[in-house]
Amino acid sequence: MFRIFHLSLLASALLTLPAKAASADIEAVFAADTVEQRSASLQAIEQASDSPEAQMALATWQAFSTLERFGQTLHGHGFRTPTSVLMPLMRLPVPSNEGTPEIMTYAKWRATLTDLVTGLDEAKSMLEAIDDDADFGIEVDLRRLRLDLDEDGILTEQESLAAILQALGQPNRRRSTDNSDERTPPPVFRFDRADAYWLQGYSNFLTANARMWLAHDFQQTFDASFGMFFPRSDAATDKTPPADPSFSVIMDTISFVHTINWPVIEPETRGAVRDDLIEMIRLSRLNWEAILAETDNDREWLPGPQQPGRHPLTTIEVTEETVAAWHEALDLAEDLLTGKRLLSHMRYPDKGFNFERFFKEPTRFDLVLTLTGPAAEPYLGTGDLVDQKQWREITRTFGRAGIAPYAIWFN
């Protein structure tokens, strides 16, 4: 009997080893110093456990590794991060390339966007596979979670998610992870099932942006303006650099806006943009449903009103009023995307723009003429109109800064 007892203890211990190993490897993935260390930990997770924690870790790194490869392509081609927000995909702050960057071509840029969509679609599938009632928590220090943006195999402080988020929020400041203010809590969070919905939703937001480009032939825009992003590109090699680089950026920005007159080459892809956005809205609702069901308050990435206190990263405190207003904004966005309501157009007071038809019945996309009226006419109709006054009523709850800081965080 004594021997059987010991054998059962040994068997139990052996059975728990994979889970423990996976837990240790998960922590190592989010705090690795080199790509080699991270890869070894990811391989161990794949082999050791199929727990919700392991599923979340692997799906998260599918998303982050996709962004990492995207950043490496930008770095390899000498990308310069713009200080103005032209499009979300161009806001990733990558290190400067001190060598000889490769020349970026239109075909290469389209291929880069296609790879981004493919990788994030895979991450979405992996996140979708996690059970809705899965109970897990993964502690992540954003100073230790790093992307190898310059592809040197070393994960530095300047490549940490904390530094990247700081640079996104303050693009003109040098990236730093120095936490000299002792009153500022360290950026350590516990990611749970709600955050899986959040990451899945954000992946849809990014694929929607990339698909909007891929649905069209935007070579004229690339040729006219992408020299401001990639100094070594087909768009820049035949231009003489001006004495004042800022003047060149201004001219390229004007060219960028002026040339957004794109023929549709992939109609189904433009329809998929709408699908991504509707899915993002669905996931945001699931995210908040999970958040509001939480009874703890343990280093929340996105807290609910029942988890009080200013967020250590955004300094925002979530209230019942802001959550209610956010859901109103989601409802309004869904109504517009599904054609239930129309967006009023300043040129046509009795008609509204039908976004469902814009995505499902695509024609040439001319940004300026859509705003001024002529290119909007194929999508105009009568119905329940949404105007600026209604939008202000919904968003005034978010205060002076408006809904933008919440949208960037809440997704």
Side-chain angles (χ1 to χ4, degrees):
M1 177 67 71
F2 185 74
R3 180 177 295 178
I4 292 175
F5 177 71
H6 273 74
L7 285 173
S8 66
L9 285 178
L10 178 61
S12 298
L14 289 173
L15 287 172
T16 61
L17 279 178
K20 290 181 178 179
S23 178
D25 289 316
I26 287 171
E27 294 178 5
V29 165
F30 291 98
D33 292 318
T34 66
V35 173
E36 185 178 4
Q37 291 175 5
R38 191 178 68 194
S39 299
S41 298
L42 286 168
Q43 186 176 10
I45 295 170
E46 290 176 340
Q47 296 174 349
S49 174
D50 59 355
S51 66
E53 288 90 346
Q55 287 180 292
M56 178 64 174
L58 293 172
T60 298
W61 276 108
Q62 173 62 28
F64 280 137
S65 64
T66 299
L67 293 176
E68 184 178 67
R69 290 192 301 273
F70 181 71
Q72 289 171 351
T73 299
L74 296 180
H75 175 265
H77 290 79
F79 177 72
R80 293 189 303 195
T81 306
T83 56
S84 62
V85 182
L86 293 174
M87 58 179 176
L89 294 176
M90 305 300 268
R91 296 290 295 123
L92 184 64
V94 300
S96 60
N97 189 330
E98 304 301 335
T100 303
E102 298 178 53
I103 294 178
M104 177 59 78
T105 65
Y106 174 70
K108 175 63 178 177
W109 182 240
R110 286 193 67 93
T112 301
L113 293 176
T114 299
D115 290 344
L116 180 70
V117 169
T118 300
L120 290 176
D121 279 346
E122 176 62 24
K124 288 187 273 185
S125 296
M126 295 170 71
L127 290 162
E128 184 74 28
I130 302 175
D131 290 340
D132 289 335
D133 59 354
D135 184 16
F136 62 87
I138 300 175
E139 182 179 300
V140 178
D141 185 336
L142 300 189
R143 297 164 302 186
R144 300 290 298 152
L145 194 166
R146 301 170 181 178
L147 304 180
D148 184 24
L149 296 176
D150 57 7
E151 207 171 359
D152 65 353
I154 307 299
L155 304 174
T156 66
E157 290 185 20
Q158 287 70 35
E159 295 171 307
S160 73
L161 197 57
I164 290 171
L165 291 173
Q166 182 187 60
L168 288 172
Q170 298 171 307
N172 292 320
R173 289 185 57 182
R174 181 178 60 86
R175 281 186 291 170
S176 170
T177 54
D178 178 30
N179 189 20
S180 56
D181 187 352
E182 295 180 357
R183 296 171 299 175
T184 303
V188 179
F189 300 94
R190 180 181 178 274
F191 288 89
D192 53 26
R193 183 62 186 92
D195 301 311
Y197 294 129
W198 178 89
L199 181 58
Q200 191 179 346
Y202 237 105
S203 296
N204 275 280
F205 170 73
L206 293 174
T207 54
N209 277 270
R211 283 189 166 106
M212 187 61 186
W213 285 80
L214 291 170
H216 303 90
D217 178 356
F218 58 90
Q219 176 140 20
Q220 186 181 16
T221 298
F222 181 92
D223 292 341
S225 64
F226 266 51
M228 65 177 166
F229 301 128
F230 301 100
R232 281 180 56 81
S233 69
D234 284 352
T237 51
D238 61 347
K239 295 178 183 177
T240 302
D244 183 0
S246 62
F247 177 78
S248 179
V249 172
I250 293 172
M251 295 298 100
D252 284 340
T253 301
I254 295 172
S255 298
F256 179 92
V257 174
H258 180 71
T259 55
I260 298 181
N261 179 12
W262 303 338
V264 178
I265 56 175
E266 297 180 12
E268 68 286 352
T269 301
R270 191 152 118 179
V273 173
R274 172 180 172 272
D275 296 338
D276 281 345
L277 295 174
I278 290 175
E279 178 67 359
M280 180 185 72
I281 293 169
R282 184 186 75 86
L283 289 163
S284 185
R285 291 195 180 107
L286 285 176
N287 184 20
W288 281 104
E289 183 180 333
I291 291 170
L292 295 174
E294 293 175 354
T295 57
D296 63 343
N297 188 9
D298 187 5
R299 295 159 294 173
E300 306 295 339
W301 170 247
L302 184 51
Q306 80 280 15
Q307 297 159 321
R310 290 192 175 275
H311 192 267
L313 198 64
T314 66
T315 71
I316 295 173
E317 183 167 10
V318 178
T319 66
E320 292 183 1
E321 290 76 18
T322 54
V323 174
W326 178 252
H327 278 84
E328 286 187 65
L330 292 178
D331 293 342
L332 176 58
E334 185 175 52
D335 285 348
L336 289 172
L337 288 168
T338 57
K340 292 180 181 178
R341 305 184 73 184
L342 309 177
L343 184 65
S344 63
H345 196 290
M346 57 185 175
R347 191 74 177 269
Y348 309 94
D350 299 325
K351 294 183 179 181
F353 190 86
N354 189 318
F355 279 97
E356 181 182 41
R357 290 181 53 207
F358 172 79
F359 288 114
K360 295 178 73 173
E361 303 170 17
T363 58
R364 177 185 289 268
F365 175 49
D366 189 310
L367 176 62
V368 174
L369 292 184
T370 298
L371 295 175
T372 59
E377 289 183 359
Y379 304 109
L380 294 177
T382 57
D384 186 2
L385 301 183
V386 176
D387 58 24
Q388 291 185 356
K389 181 179 178 181
Q390 291 171 293
W391 179 246
R392 285 196 298 268
E393 284 294 316
I394 291 175
T395 59
R396 66 179 180 178
T397 303
F398 297 100
R400 274 187 167 185
I403 195 174
Y406 291 87
I408 293 170
W409 182 29
F410 284 9
N411 182 35

